[in-house]
Amino acid sequence: MVRAIELEQARRCGGVCMRVYFLVLADSVEEQGYRSDLTAEKEAFEGLILAKGRMALPSEWEGRTAQQLPPQLRLEEEATAGSNAATLRGGRARASSSRGAPTAVVDLREFRSALPNMLQLHGVTLRPATLEVGDYVLAPDLVVERKALPDLVQSLASGRLYNQAEAMLRTYRRPTLLLEFDENRPFALATRAELAADLSPNSTTSKLCLLLLHFPKLRLLWSRRPLHTIAIFDALKRGAPEPDVDKAAAVGTHAEQAAGQLFNMTPQDLLRSMPGVHAHNYRRLMNAVTNMHELSQLSLGRLAELLGEQNARRLHTFLHQSA
């Protein structure tokens, strides 16, 4: 009845304003029933808004271009470019003709998924190789490890993702972890029903947070679907040099390890385990000294310039205290 009156008021569009008064007994069953109906209606609207925000694309829309999709489903940069699509296509054609098709080195195991084929359909030249580090090498210094949600859970549980992140940080300057979600699942690591009141250390969210805390240089990207992943790859490759397939395949092999890695993680781990040294100041120490012996010879004043007085005092006491 209340909604019928509200609809009638909306149809009048500025006519006679109707006011509705409710007469109920305080603390009665009638009042409780009315409040329960309001709560149920509010939760239904919130659930509808949440479900629409995480709604997956229907299968018949898969593979369509940005102009063929409804405006509300396009990516932001695609939606804003609708009015001058012809101009953009002409500019992209001229740019692609001058620099050639973009190239990406792809691990052979990735061809079990549909993403490599979709990348090739979008004009990306794929160079298949057996990669020891990462799944996609988009630039000489940029590597991407792609994880679907089931693979992410298994990799975090087994510790394999920790080793993969460490290998990427040792060999590339821009390591990236890409989480690609299934179109038929909500765009979230866990639904509202799966979240507990207290986060468990064994949950996927907690393990992912610990991974990012341990590797602060690791970039984390989220993808709703494979088409979104292609748009992300295009943005990452914009203006970047093309990768070399031979160098990408050699990264992580015994020959490359013998030649030396980009970063030596053992001294870094030792340095960060000392008192007064943390993730925000250890690089200043690494740039100031070349080995641990030079670090032990630094004065308290010099350490204070690099770390601050409190951290410098803790590190200086640690280095010079008698065993």
Side-chain angles (χ1 to χ4, degrees), residues 84-97:
N84 56 349
T87 304
L88 288 178
R89 282 197 299 270
R92 287 171 185 168
R94 289 191 296 270
S96 60
S97 61

Side-chain angles (χ1 to χ4, degrees), residues 11-206:
R11 291 194 193 100
R12 294 194 177 190
C13 299
V16 179
C17 180
M18 295 183 294
R19 295 183 180 181
V20 181
Y21 297 92
F22 293 93
L23 299 178
V24 294
L25 295 176
D27 301 329
S28 63
V29 177
E30 184 182 7
E31 181 187 12
Q32 183 62 36
Y34 171 69
R35 293 184 181 276
S36 299
D37 292 340
L38 287 181
T39 303
E41 186 178 11
K42 178 182 177 183
E43 292 179 351
F45 274 106
E46 290 177 349
L48 178 62
I49 295 172
L50 184 63
K52 187 176 180 180
R54 297 176 175 176
M55 189 178 297
L57 282 176
S59 58
E60 59 267 18
W61 288 345
E62 182 66 37
R64 291 190 179 186
T65 62
Q67 288 72 26
Q68 294 172 328
L69 289 176
Q72 65 271 21
L73 294 175
R74 301 177 189 174
L75 297 176
E76 182 177 354
E77 60 273 12
E78 295 171 347
T80 55
S83 59
N84 56 349
T87 304
L88 288 178
R89 282 197 299 270
R92 287 171 185 168
R94 289 191 296 270
S96 60
S97 61
S98 61
R99 69 182 181 185
T103 304
V105 181
V106 186
D107 187 20
L108 290 173
R109 289 161 291 218
E110 278 293 304
F111 282 90
R112 289 178 250 175
S113 65
L115 183 59
N117 185 36
M118 297 177 65
L119 283 170
Q120 195 165 15
L121 290 176
H122 280 74
V124 180
T125 301
L126 302 181
R127 304 294 184 187
T130 303
L131 300 181
E132 297 293 333
V133 179
D135 295 326
Y136 295 85
V137 179
L138 305 181
D141 61 344
L142 174 59
V143 63
V144 177
E145 179 71 28
R146 187 182 72 92
K147 292 290 183 185
L149 192 56
D151 191 17
L152 173 69
V153 175
Q154 296 176 2
S155 300
L156 287 173
S158 63
R160 181 163 55 94
L161 185 56
Y162 179 92
N163 297 330
Q164 291 173 333
E166 185 179 19
M168 288 192 296
L169 283 164
R170 287 181 176 180
T171 51
Y172 288 94
R173 296 189 182 276
R174 290 194 291 165
T176 304
L177 174 62
L178 175 71
L179 303 184
E180 187 177 279
F181 288 78
D182 188 0
E183 294 178 318
N184 299 320
R185 286 183 56 88
F187 186 51
L189 288 177
T191 61
R192 182 182 298 182
E194 295 172 346
L195 289 176
D198 296 327
L199 289 179
S200 170
N202 297 323
S203 66
T204 303
T205 305
S206 300

